[in-house]
Amino acid sequence: MKKTLVKDLKPGLEVSELFALRKKELKEYEGKNYLKLELGDKSGRIEAVIWEQALEYNQQIEAGDIVQVKGSTQTYRNSLQIKIDDILTVPLEKVDLKDFLPLAEKSPEELLAEYKNVALNLKNPFLRTLFERIFADEKIVEKLKLAPGGKLWHHCYLGGLTDHSLKIVSICRRACEIYELVDQDLLIAGALLH
């Protein structure tokens, strides 16, 4: 469980905390490699830098990982950043993703219920059966319920994928009003599964 959120960080603090690694870039300065990172949690994002052992750390971490960071906060060019002394990847099953991603306006459970309602009310029996089989798999349903729509730009919050898919369904329904020959069930199923 996270103790300190990005929004609560101030210059001069020792940091030993979990973050989502949002971006990673290996760079060079005065002939030496360093890593420029963007870390985040549900409250925001912060830049970070690794000056020592940059090549080794670059091979050990990837964007999208949850990482344990040890270092200190400092101001650089009027912005707060973390100077990292050590960083390691933490298995996803050992963290609560709600600490790292914001929530949609509706809860993931509400969005999933709406998603299921749309899918199970399709008139086409074959498409309905497809969704019944998908919903019978608890692992898929749990991942669908919590999945963000994107990593950084759109619907990047818990439940974001179902929220995004439902918004696409809404657009598809409007398109069906204009183009009467479109197979609405097929279009909506595609929106839900895209």
Side-chain angles (χ1 to χ4, degrees):
M1 174 106 179
K2 278 183 68 65
K3 301 177 293 265
T4 307
L5 296 173
V6 167
K7 70 178 180 72
D8 299 324
L9 294 174
K10 306 214 178 330
L13 294 177
E14 291 298 314
V15 176
S16 180
E17 188 57 83
L18 298 174
F19 296 97
L21 176 55
R22 301 177 64 85
K23 295 180 187 175
K24 172 186 87 160
E25 187 178 0
L26 185 63
K27 301 188 95 163
E28 188 179 308
Y29 178 74
E30 294 185 357
K32 286 185 68 177
N33 291 310
Y34 73 97
L35 273 174
K36 181 179 177 185
L37 309 175
E38 182 181 86
L39 305 173
D41 60 26
K42 66 182 178 182
S43 73
R45 304 174 189 180
I46 187 168
E47 298 289 324
V49 64
I50 300 174
W51 292 104
E52 302 298 323
Q53 300 175 325
L55 291 173
E56 293 87 346
Y57 283 123
N58 187 50
Q59 294 174 352
Q60 296 170 16
I61 58 174
E62 292 298 329
D65 288 346
I66 301 298
V67 291
Q68 173 72 45
V69 168
K70 291 185 180 176
S72 57
T73 56
Q74 60 188 20
T75 303
Y76 176 71
R77 293 187 178 173
N78 297 320
S79 293
L80 188 64
Q81 72 173 15
I82 300 174
K83 180 183 166 288
I84 296 175
D85 299 319
D86 192 22
I87 187 170
L88 61 102
T89 303
V90 177
L92 289 178
E93 55 275 3
K94 293 193 174 194
V95 299
D96 185 352
L97 290 179
K98 292 177 184 165
D99 289 336
F100 303 97
L101 292 169
L103 293 169
E105 289 179 17
K106 294 181 182 178
S107 74
E109 292 76 18
E110 288 175 293
L111 290 166
L112 181 63
E114 193 175 331
Y115 183 99
K116 283 182 172 182
N117 184 50
V118 170
L120 298 176
N121 280 299
L122 295 171
K123 293 178 182 83
N124 182 311
F126 300 106
L127 292 173
R128 209 171 42 248
T129 299
L130 170 65
F131 282 102
E132 287 169 356
R133 289 183 178 171
I134 290 170
F135 298 142
D137 187 325
E138 291 179 22
K139 288 181 183 177
I140 291 175
V141 171
E142 189 61 23
K143 287 181 180 183
L144 176 64
K145 179 176 76 172
L146 296 177
K151 285 186 175 183
L152 294 174
W153 302 112
H154 77 87
H155 300 87
C156 52
Y157 44 81
L158 293 176
L161 180 60
T162 52
D163 193 20
H164 170 67
S165 297
L166 290 166
K167 285 179 173 52
I168 299 300
V169 166
S170 178
I171 293 168
C172 290
R173 285 183 171 150
R174 289 185 190 142
C176 289
E177 292 170 6
I178 298 168
Y179 301 102
E180 297 170 5
L181 297 177
V182 171
D183 183 331
Q184 183 170 336
D185 275 5
L186 190 58
L187 192 59
I188 289 174
L192 291 171
L193 295 171
H194 85 280

